[in-house]
């Protein structure tokens, strides 16, 4: 898969999502469906967005005991999506089970990514609240290495960490990076952030962009700026 911009469609309903996607008359952006939309609309929204011709990253960030995650992934494997994910913090055993569950009988499966540390988590909170010592970079690289050992295809991390992950896990190990903001933008709740151009320079394979596109006065123009800066 080549470098691409994924739009985080964090909308509350199918109507709001379709109204947003209908604005794109010339391109079919790669779309991320997260918890809000999936919990509101269920698998129907995934099928409809696929039917409209978009690639889909189903961002449900599974994290439970290995047996439960394996069975949940088996259900998700019936959806024709391009990417799904889970939390690396669920352990290597959970990631291995997830991979088993996600692999269809014919051997095909969506790309499976592990979330390392959310881009809204600061190093201070990781130390004080999660009781993980060391740097965020060390934690992200360690989780990425575990994900690779478990057989996953890549990680979700900050664009600032994409270079380190590639160094540790190899160039073909995917880095999918939220925490993208335009230089003049509002950071919202995101902490470990950078611009589309800088994310490209550091080595992200995919950037995930939500509010800088969805809340822009002209979302199509904002998307095109991301594509021209990143792709
Ligand atoms: O609006 P914004 O650009 O901050 O959206 C980023 C998206 O990426 C959100 O949908 C969020 O759930 C997701 N995400 C993230 N950090 C991660 C994994 C996913 O921000 N580590």
């Amino acid at each position: 898969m080549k470098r691409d911009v994924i739009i985080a469609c964090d909308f509350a309903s199918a109507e709001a999502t379709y109204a947003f996607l209908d604005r794109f008359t010339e391109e079919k952006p790669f779309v991320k469906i997260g918890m809000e939309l999936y919990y509101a609309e269920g698998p129907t929204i995934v099928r409809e967005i696929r039917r409209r011709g978009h690639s889909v990253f189903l961002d449900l960030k599974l994290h439970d005991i290995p047996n439960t995650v394996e069975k949940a992934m088996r259900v998700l494997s019936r959806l024709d999506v391009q990417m799904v994910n889970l939390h690396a913090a669920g352990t290597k055993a959970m990631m291995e089970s997830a991979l088993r569950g996600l692999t269809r009988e014919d051997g095909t499966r969506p790309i499976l990514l592990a979330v390392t540390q959310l881009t809204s988590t600061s190093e201070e909170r990781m130390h004080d609240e999660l009781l993980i010592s060391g740097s965020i970079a060390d934690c992200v690289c360690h989780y990425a290495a575990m994900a690779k050992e478990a057989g996953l295809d890549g990680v979700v991390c900050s664009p600032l960490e994409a270079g380190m992950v590639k160094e540790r896990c190899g160039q073909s190990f995917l880095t999918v990076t939220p925490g993208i903001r335009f230089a003049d933008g509002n950071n919202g709740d995101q902490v470990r952030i950078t611009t589309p151009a800088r994310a490209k320079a550091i080595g992200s394979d995919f950037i995930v962009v939500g509010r800088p596109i969805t809340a822009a006065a002209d979302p199509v123009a904002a998307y095109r700026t991301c594509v021209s800066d990143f792709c």
Side-chain angles (χ1 to χ4, degrees), residues 8 10 32 61 115 118-119 156 178 181 190 208-212:
D10 294 324
K32 180 172 87 68
K61 299 189 181 71
V115 176
L118 295 171
T119 43
V156 183
R181 290 296 178 264
Q190 297 283 21
V208 175
V209 188
R211 290 160 289 182

Side-chain angles (χ1 to χ4, degrees), residues 18 40 47 52 61 149 165 190:
Y18 301 149
R47 293 192 193 101
R52 287 171 170 240
K61 299 189 181 71
E149 281 171 31
V165 168
Q190 297 283 21

Side-chain angles (χ1 to χ4, degrees), residues 5-224:
V5 174
I6 303 177
I7 304 181
C9 284
D10 294 324
F11 297 109
S13 69
E15 294 70 42
T17 308
Y18 301 149
F20 173 77
L21 292 177
D22 284 343
R23 288 167 168 267
F24 293 84
T25 51
E26 284 168 37
E27 51 264 285
K28 289 278 178 205
F30 203 129
V31 163
K32 180 172 87 68
I33 300 174
M35 294 179 192
E36 183 183 12
L37 192 54
Y38 192 79
Y39 292 156
E41 303 290 349
T44 311
I45 184 91
V46 177
R47 293 192 193 101
E48 174 56 19
I49 291 177
R50 286 291 294 132
R51 193 195 62 74
R52 287 171 170 240
H54 299 271
S55 292
V56 170
F57 171 17
L58 187 57
D59 176 24
L60 299 180
K61 299 189 181 71
L62 276 66
H63 188 171
D64 208 315
I65 60 171
N67 181 57
T68 300
V69 170
E70 180 169 346
K71 289 197 269 185
M73 286 292 186
R74 185 154 299 129
V75 176
L76 294 182
S77 76
R78 296 185 210 135
L79 290 172
D80 172 34
V81 297
Q82 282 59 47
M83 287 180 188
V84 298
N85 65 356
L86 44 63
H87 273 286
T91 76
K92 213 186 328 178
M94 187 199 78
M95 292 192 267
E96 287 164 352
S97 298
L99 200 61
R100 253 195 320 275
L102 193 62
T103 306
R104 304 179 185 107
E105 272 180 16
D106 65 2
T108 63
R109 62 170 174 80
I111 286 171
L112 182 57
L113 304 166
V115 176
T116 53
Q117 284 293 343
L118 295 171
T119 43
S120 54
T121 303
S122 66
E123 195 158 279
E124 191 184 9
R125 282 179 183 267
M126 188 185 81
H127 290 163
D128 297 350
E129 298 177 22
L130 306 184
L131 283 185
I132 297 174
S133 56
S135 68
I136 285 232
D138 285 345
C139 179
V140 167
C141 283
H142 174 62
Y143 282 9
M146 272 202 323
K148 187 170 183 201
E149 281 171 31
L152 272 62
D153 306 294
V155 287
V156 183
C157 61
S158 159
L160 303 172
E161 292 139 10
M164 291 178 271
V165 168
K166 295 274 187 191
E167 245 170 61
R168 175 89 174 252
C169 298
Q171 286 303 315
S172 60
F173 194 67
L174 296 174
T175 53
V176 177
T177 65
I180 298 295
R181 290 296 178 264
F182 293 124
D184 55 358
N186 171 3
N187 294 352
D189 52 356
Q190 297 283 21
V191 180
R192 293 167 12 249
I193 56 167
T194 193
T195 61
R198 186 91 193 98
K200 176 182 182 179
I202 301 173
S204 294
D205 295 292
F206 294 88
I207 52 173
V208 175
V209 188
R211 290 160 289 182
I213 293 176
T214 56
D218 185 344
V220 176
Y223 170 74
R224 287 184 182 153

